Amino acid sequence: MSDWLRRDLRLIQLGVIGELRNPVFRFIGVIAALGAGVYAWNQGSLAGTTALALAAWGGRGFALAACLWFGAGALRDQNAHLGAVLRSKPVDGARWVLLTWATGVALWLLLLAGLFLGAMLGQLPHAGLLSIAAHAVGFGRAALIMLPLATLGFALSRLTRSPLGASVIVLAFLCVLAGLQLVPAFLRPDYTQNLPLFVAVSAFLLVVTAFLAERLRRGELRRPLLPALGALVCAALAVGGGAQAQQAAQPPIDGSVDEMMTRQYLQLGRRTPGFWLPDGRGNTVRTAAYPGKILLIYLFAADDLEAARTLPALDAMSREFGAQGVQPLAICLSPDQGDGAALAWAGGFSFPVVSDRTTTKTSPPPASSLATAYATELLPALVVTDRRRRAREILSDAAYSPEQLRTLIQTRLAEEPE
């Protein structure tokens, strides 16, 4: 490790330690860990869904807090009475901006890690080692929500030399969370499919702030070519990420697979609508890939904790009756296209959990290609098919126990043993 990197890491470490001396941060860390631990304990063995819920709301809450802190912290070293000790030393302006940003990132990631550590310990007695993997995935998702927003707040505050820069980001994010319809889906920073856009935009503003604006203010702008090229690359990535996010938010195109799935319609005694969806592990799941199987097709909302209690029951049925040709298929409906993939990784299920990427809302009536095809007015919904994929049961209870599912399966097996 080079000397300059070792020195910078030491400065970041000292900065984090100095911030943690503030009793407010210690209080936030303890309360977040204890609250998450109690919440996770009450959820029992639902490690995957619990981690997903904590990632959504914990990530958003920490993003708002970190953004406000970054807005104020970005200006502290500009005050002669509150400035850094290194003000009198020949520290490059860009380097100091990046060190300040990295110190804040490390501080808030540490506090966020405490939240998920508390949840993991609270759920460990119920979920076992699965709790560790689930909350590690949840921490990663929450961090990806928090970091771009905090970086935007930091960069805008330094560019404008005012905390109003971060306040604008906070206000915009609160409007998004309040469900303001004027904000298009591809501009929501808490959706996984929009991550390339916000990472690129935040990186672009950070590069401009550190290497151009700060050096220009200090009279250090002598070799601007490399930083300018870096800013242009980030801007190009932002344009590409924005186009990708906008395309993901568009309705299905006529003739596409998603649009063809919408044309189908569920009827009792008729062949169930087929689908072709990603499972979050790099595979594509198709109903046609399970000929001669009794299918248990379960449509649910990613944020419905009550419905999520059915997933472990389906997993138990897959293990118990899989050799007899019973195949559960769970379809996760969420406007965030990463929820299904995260649940597939964090849940540790032995059956496919796929994502309907066309979902725009999950409140009644849900809006997505498969919600339309399965005539779903209310989530969750369970469809039990025979071995020729004809719908034999269409149910809409809030959750299903292993005993209820076992009764449904045994009824089907009595009529179609093979």
Side-chain angles (χ1 to χ4, degrees), residues 45-53 55 130 133-135 137-138 141 192 278-281 298-305 307-312 314-315 330-334 336-355:
S45 61
L46 298 178
T49 309
T50 303
L52 210 62
L130 179 61
H135 290 290
V137 173
R141 284 175 58 79
T192 306
D279 67 350
R281 299 175 180 269
Y298 185 60
L299 291 83
F300 70 101
D303 57 354
D304 188 343
L305 289 173
R309 299 185 186 280
T310 301
L311 297 178
L314 288 171
D315 191 51
I331 304 170
C332 178
L333 274 67
S334 173
D336 187 339
Q337 297 179 8
D339 281 349
L343 192 58
W345 279 104
F349 303 116
S350 60
F351 64 94
V353 178
V354 300
S355 302

Side-chain angles (χ1 to χ4, degrees), residues 114-197:
L115 174 80
F116 285 93
L117 180 61
M120 183 269 291
L121 293 176
Q123 214 155 25
L124 193 61
H126 301 289
L129 295 179
L130 179 61
S131 174
I132 300 175
H135 290 290
V137 173
F139 169 74
R141 284 175 58 79
L144 291 177
I145 295 173
M146 183 186 74
L147 290 180
L149 285 172
T151 303
L152 285 173
F154 173 82
L156 285 178
S157 292
R158 287 203 77 101
L159 283 174
T160 60
R161 309 193 82 171
S162 168
L164 290 177
S167 300
V168 169
I169 302 299
V170 170
L171 179 61
F173 193 37
L174 288 175
C175 290
V176 168
L177 296 181
L180 189 63
Q181 298 300 316
L182 296 178
V183 180
F186 71 92
L187 289 181
R188 289 205 51 159
D190 52 338
Y191 284 177
T192 306
Q193 63 267 28
N194 300 337
L195 184 62
L197 168 64

Side-chain angles (χ1 to χ4, degrees), residues 49-377:
T49 309
T50 303
L52 210 62
L54 285 175
W57 295 107
R60 292 165 181 167
F62 271 77
L64 291 172
C67 193
L68 290 174
W69 181 86
F70 265 101
L75 305 176
R76 283 185 298 179
D77 64 327
Q78 297 183 28
N79 188 308
H81 300 288
L82 300 176
V85 176
L86 296 180
R87 175 182 296 276
S88 60
K89 297 186 179 181
V91 178
D92 178 72
R95 180 186 172 199
W96 184 246
V97 168
L98 294 178
L99 282 174
T100 305
W101 170 80
T103 301
V105 165
L107 171 67
W108 285 98
L109 284 178
L110 187 62
L111 294 174
L112 187 64
L115 174 80
F116 285 93
L117 180 61
M120 183 269 291
L121 293 176
Q123 214 155 25
L124 193 61
H126 301 289
L129 295 179
L130 179 61
S131 174
I132 300 175
H135 290 290
V137 173
F139 169 74
R141 284 175 58 79
L144 291 177
I145 295 173
M146 183 186 74
L147 290 180
L149 285 172
T151 303
L152 285 173
F154 173 82
L156 285 178
S157 292
R158 287 203 77 101
L159 283 174
T160 60
R161 309 193 82 171
S162 168
L164 290 177
S167 300
V168 169
I169 302 299
V170 170
L171 179 61
F173 193 37
L174 288 175
C175 290
V176 168
L177 296 181
L180 189 63
Q181 298 300 316
L182 296 178
V183 180
F186 71 92
L187 289 181
R188 289 205 51 159
D190 52 338
Y191 284 177
T192 306
Q193 63 267 28
N194 300 337
L195 184 62
L197 168 64
F198 285 94
V199 168
V201 170
S202 60
F204 169 73
L205 286 179
L206 185 63
V207 168
V208 169
T209 301
F211 291 95
L212 298 179
E214 189 68 21
R215 283 183 170 179
L216 182 62
R217 288 170 183 163
R218 295 186 178 207
E220 300 171 348
L221 193 60
R222 295 182 178 84
R223 300 174 61 185
L225 180 59
L226 186 59
L229 289 177
L232 288 175
V233 170
C234 292
L237 291 175
V239 172
Q244 178 185 355
Q246 185 174 16
Q247 183 178 6
Q250 295 300 316
I253 302 173
D254 186 32
S256 67
V257 173
D258 294 329
E259 196 274 336
M260 288 189 287
M261 288 191 298
T262 307
R263 293 180 183 178
Q264 305 172 93
Y265 192 76
L266 177 68
Q267 285 184 297
L268 195 64
R270 297 292 185 91
R271 195 172 179 85
T272 56
F275 54 79
W276 189 336
L277 296 174
D279 67 350
R281 299 175 180 269
N283 303 316
T284 301
V285 176
R286 300 179 299 160
T287 48
Y290 302 100
K293 301 280 189 180
I294 295 174
L295 300 180
L296 279 69
I297 302 174
Y298 185 60
L299 291 83
F300 70 101
D303 57 354
D304 188 343
L305 289 173
E306 187 63 26
R309 299 185 186 280
T310 301
L311 297 178
L314 288 171
D315 191 51
M317 296 302 100
S318 176
R319 299 177 189 277
E320 183 176 346
F321 295 103
Q324 300 177 56
V326 176
Q327 178 61 59
L329 297 173
I331 304 170
C332 178
L333 274 67
S334 173
D336 187 339
Q337 297 179 8
D339 281 349
L343 192 58
W345 279 104
F349 303 116
S350 60
F351 64 94
V353 178
V354 300
S355 302
D356 186 347
R357 298 167 299 181
T358 63
T359 305
T360 55
K361 73 183 184 79
T362 56
S363 57
S368 76
S369 296
L370 283 185
T372 301
Y374 279 78
T376 305
E377 295 294 328

